[in-house]
Amino acid sequence: MRFFLLRCFLIFSLILSLCNMLYSINLETLDQAEALWEDKHVSGNFEAAIELYEDLYQTASQNRIVLERLSYAYSLKGYHFATTRKEQLGYLETSLEFIEQCLDLNLAYKHAKSNNVLFSDQLTYLGKDDLFCLLFKAQTRGQWAKTRGIGQSLKYVGLLKSMITRVGDIDSNFYYGAVDRYWGAFYANLPQFMGGSYEKSSEYFKQSIEVAPHYVGTYRLFIEDVVIPNKDSVLFDELINQALQFDVALLPLDLRLLNQIEQQKLVIIKQQKASYFKTSSN
């Protein structure tokens, strides 16, 4: 009996130790990472913050802040920093791994998933605490599929619609008009025979800008996905000038890095205007 109790105590201690490894976090390191993250627009801070979050992940793999930061970081790298298709897919897949771990913090969702509940029903277990990772799962999976090709994009249409619909059900204005921005890109890139519509896309982009006029990425997506294909040079000038007139230093700090990147891309797009609106010679 004594040996049995001792064995139980050792097993309990092991479980407790494992739990502490999963949930304990070095608050000093977290503070350092968060300070770098807040100023991630400063040269070197973005990568330095990622290194610290990855260190924290080793001992706190179920900390929501760490998982959200790493999900966002690798998604951003996949969107804007990758130089090859292989590198882009690698970043996006890493982001998706962290995103799924983040969503699994919701044990009801994790249980439903492990029991093969319908995907649309799994999503009903996700709430406000899960919004960030659910949104970035939809965005990142969509970009991953687009990078893989039209076949993968069409394969994931239903799942992507379910995810972004759930985000909208919880908070239709979440993350700077992200739901409307997503639908804008979705309907612009969806084949017409499946319901794609430039008109519908345009309305969603306009709604997103109305919700968050300082989110520069919406202007770029609107221009690339709708304005250029429709050869609307007037709207091109209007949107690009509006987006470039923002002083990103006066906009929300958490968007500064992204807005800087987006404005740099818009400068290049503006310089290439003539190639987008060529007129055929008689």
Side-chain angles (χ1 to χ4, degrees), residues 1 38 45 52 92 112 117 127 174 207 216 230 238 246 254:
M1 184 67 178
E38 184 176 6
N45 282 10
L52 288 180
L92 296 175
V117 172
F174 181 67
Q207 290 173 27
V216 179
N230 283 280
E238 178 186 328
F246 290 126
D254 64 313

Side-chain angles (χ1 to χ4, degrees), residues 4 7 35 68 75 81 88 90 108 111 114 119 125 146 162 170 198 202 205 237 240-241 259-260 264 274 276 282:
F4 173 76
R7 188 175 182 182
E68 286 185 354
S75 183
F81 293 96
Q88 182 178 33
H111 178 74
S114 65
F119 185 70
Y125 292 99
K146 185 177 180 180
S162 296
I170 300 170
Y198 284 131
S202 180
F205 278 131
D237 290 336
I240 211 161
N241 290 332
N259 278 339
Q260 285 176 345
Q264 290 166 5
Y276 299 132
N282 295 325

Side-chain angles (χ1 to χ4, degrees), residues 98-245:
F98 286 122
I99 286 169
E100 204 56 40
Q101 291 176 55
C102 179
L103 292 174
D104 281 348
L105 296 178
N106 183 319
L107 297 182
Y109 165 80
K110 184 178 181 181
H111 178 74
K113 186 174 63 173
S114 65
N115 283 279
N116 297 315
V117 172
L118 286 173
F119 185 70
S120 57
D121 292 334
Q122 293 176 25
L123 296 177
T124 63
Y125 292 99
L126 298 175
K128 286 189 174 182
D129 288 344
D130 311 299
L131 264 178
F132 185 88
C133 286
L134 178 57
L135 170 65
F136 273 83
K137 181 175 181 177
Q139 292 183 169
T140 307
R141 178 59 73 188
Q143 183 63 31
W144 176 89
K146 185 177 180 180
T147 304
R148 290 286 302 273
I150 186 65
Q152 288 295 320
S153 293
L154 296 179
K155 175 183 176 181
Y156 281 94
V157 165
L159 297 179
L160 296 173
K161 287 180 71 175
S162 296
M163 285 188 276
I164 206 65
T165 296
R166 181 57 182 159
V167 174
D169 288 343
I170 300 170
D171 184 350
S172 60
N173 292 332
F174 181 67
Y175 202 74
Y176 307 103
V179 174
D180 288 326
R181 181 167 54 252
Y182 190 96
W183 287 127
F186 181 86
Y187 284 108
N189 289 281
L190 191 67
Q192 194 171 13
F193 72 87
M194 295 184 68
S197 166
Y198 284 131
E199 183 178 354
K200 188 179 291 187
S201 171
S202 180
E203 289 305 310
Y204 277 117
F205 278 131
K206 289 176 182 177
Q207 290 173 27
S208 182
I209 289 173
E210 186 175 337
V211 172
H214 49 263
Y215 192 95
V216 179
T218 308
Y219 297 86
R220 179 183 59 81
L221 289 171
F222 195 178
I223 290 167
E224 289 184 336
D225 289 350
V226 178
V227 175
I228 292 175
N230 283 280
K231 303 297 181 182
D232 190 337
S233 62
V234 175
L235 186 55
F236 178 95
D237 290 336
E238 178 186 328
L239 290 172
I240 211 161
N241 290 332
Q242 185 176 351
L244 290 177
Q245 60 89 25

Side-chain angles (χ1 to χ4, degrees), residues 232-280:
D232 190 337
S233 62
V234 175
L235 186 55
F236 178 95
D237 290 336
E238 178 186 328
L239 290 172
I240 211 161
N241 290 332
Q242 185 176 351
L244 290 177
Q245 60 89 25
F246 290 126
D247 182 350
V248 296
L250 302 178
L251 300 180
L253 185 60
D254 64 313
L255 289 179
R256 191 172 299 180
L257 173 62
L258 183 58
N259 278 339
Q260 285 176 345
I261 293 169
E262 294 290 3
Q263 282 193 333
Q264 290 166 5
K265 290 191 171 187
L266 284 172
V267 167
I268 295 172
I269 291 172
K270 185 175 183 179
Q271 292 169 347
Q272 297 173 340
K273 178 185 176 181
S275 66
Y276 299 132
F277 300 99
K278 288 180 180 178
T279 56
S280 57

Side-chain angles (χ1 to χ4, degrees), residues 32-46:
Q32 292 173 358
E34 289 287 87
L36 289 168
W37 187 259
E38 184 176 6
D39 289 329
K40 56 185 175 291
H41 60 282
V42 177
S43 179
N45 282 10
F46 181 58

